[in-house]
Structure formats: C-alpha cells, structure tokens
Amino acid sequence: GSPPAGLEEDPSFVSAMSALSKSDVCASSRWRCDFDQHWAWLSSTCAEWSELEARIKQALDKKSTDEDFLMLSALLKELRASNVINPEFESALSARLQYIARASVSGQSGGDEEEEGGLEDRIRMALSRESTEEDLHMLKKLLKELRSAGEVDTDLESALAERLRYVVERYFLI
C-alpha cells in the first residue's frame, strides 16, 4: 500500500524513512528490501539533481561569452531531461543563451583566428551546405569578419545572419 495522503510531505516521515534507510536490512522482509531499492534511487537522484543545479549556478554566476554557448545549451538540455523542476534556472539559461546569440548576430563577440580562402568564398561555402550546431562558432566568426570588412555585401550579411539565427533556434533554443 501507500502512505496516507499528506504523510510523504511530513518532515517527521522523511526523517523516519532516512533513519530506516540506515538500519540493517532484514532479508526476510520484502517490504524492507523494496524500501532500500527505492531509497537508494531517491538518494542517487537527489545527488544528481543537486550536482546539476550546482553546475548551472556556477555557469550563471560567471560572465558568459560566445565560447560558453554550447556549454550553457547542454546544461539547459540536461536540466529539461532531468525532470528537475526549476523554472528560475531554465529561464535564466534561456535568457543567457538568447543574450549570447543576439550579441553574436549584432557583431559584439566572436573569435579572431584567420582562415584560408577569401571571405566571400568561405561564406558562400558555409551557406551552401546544411549547418549543424558545431557550425555555430564558425558562422559567428564569419559574420564578425564580414562586418569588420570595409565594404559589406548586405545580401551576404543578411543570409549569414539568418543562417546563424536558424542554427541557434534549431539546436539551442528548443
């Protein structure tokens, strides 16, 4: 059977179950063996969720750059998959991802490494194939490079910005 309604929310019930979990197991008590399995699962799940929330808090406590986008996105996906109910963390992660994406599209962040080939050729090559989440940094870098070039081809800039938005929305803002 199950406990009477409201009993599982009673702190003394939780304390009693915690104490029971530390007592010796009686092999002849099926109830006690079942209890151990469920208590072990509950303890393990609680520890996993606490660890996840600690990693999220640590990520949100620091200033994020475009280099943190994939990590923050992975944390958001992990949070949603974990069944942890924490709307504050979910909202904060989503807002941080949107901020980074907007900053990237507006040209406020990105890498500085040089690549071979002409800029327009590299952009056309990137736009000619399907983009994946791994292409995010490359697309941001190309957009920044294009915007810092002397004369900006507005058609290429628009196409590149639109592709960047597509990648962000498809892979990171689920």
Side-chain angles (χ1 to χ4, degrees):
S2 50
L7 189 58
E8 63 275 353
E9 298 159 3
D10 183 355
S12 60
F13 177 73
V14 174
S15 295
M17 293 301 103
S18 177
L20 181 59
S21 72
K22 295 174 183 124
S23 66
D24 292 333
V25 176
C26 174
S28 63
S29 172
R30 184 175 186 174
W31 177 88
R32 182 62 171 88
C33 291
D34 286 347
F35 172 80
D36 273 353
Q37 289 176 337
H38 294 296
W39 189 263
W41 174 86
L42 180 63
S43 297
S44 170
T45 301
C46 182
E48 289 172 17
W49 288 357
S50 295
E51 186 269 337
L52 173 60
E53 287 183 328
R55 286 188 292 130
I56 291 170
K57 183 171 177 7
Q58 182 180 23
L60 291 173
D61 284 346
K62 71 179 194 112
K63 182 177 179 185
S64 299
T65 66
D66 59 346
E67 302 302 320
D68 297 315
F69 193 91
L70 293 175
M71 178 267 303
L72 292 168
S73 178
L75 284 173
L76 181 59
K77 287 177 183 177
E78 189 177 348
L79 177 65
R80 288 176 174 163
S82 72
N83 294 319
V84 172
I85 300 171
N86 192 324
E88 293 84 17
F89 277 167
E90 187 169 346
S91 176
L93 283 169
S94 294
R96 184 74 57 95
L97 287 166
Q98 289 171 358
Y99 170 79
I100 294 170
R102 278 193 304 272
S104 295
V105 170
S106 69
Q108 296 174 359
S109 61
D112 292 326
E113 305 99 33
E114 290 296 320
E115 286 191 24
E116 307 245 344
L119 177 59
E120 284 190 22
D121 291 339
R122 288 185 285 133
I123 292 171
R124 290 184 199 292
M125 171 107 38
L127 294 174
S128 71
R129 62 182 176 81
E130 179 66 27
S131 297
T132 66
E133 59 188 298
E134 286 80 25
D135 296 323
L136 177 72
H137 291 293
M138 180 262 307
L139 291 170
K140 291 189 304 186
K141 182 178 161 194
L142 287 172
L143 187 59
K144 179 182 179 188
E145 225 178 304
L146 181 63
R147 287 178 173 160
S148 66
E151 287 185 30
V152 176
D153 181 331
T154 55
D155 292 336
L156 270 182
E157 182 182 23
S158 296
L160 196 53
E162 186 57 37
R163 178 63 63 91
L164 185 56
R165 270 191 219 71
Y166 164 79
V167 169
V168 168
E169 290 172 1
R170 177 158 189 213
Y171 295 104
F172 300 102
L173 300 179
I174 299 170

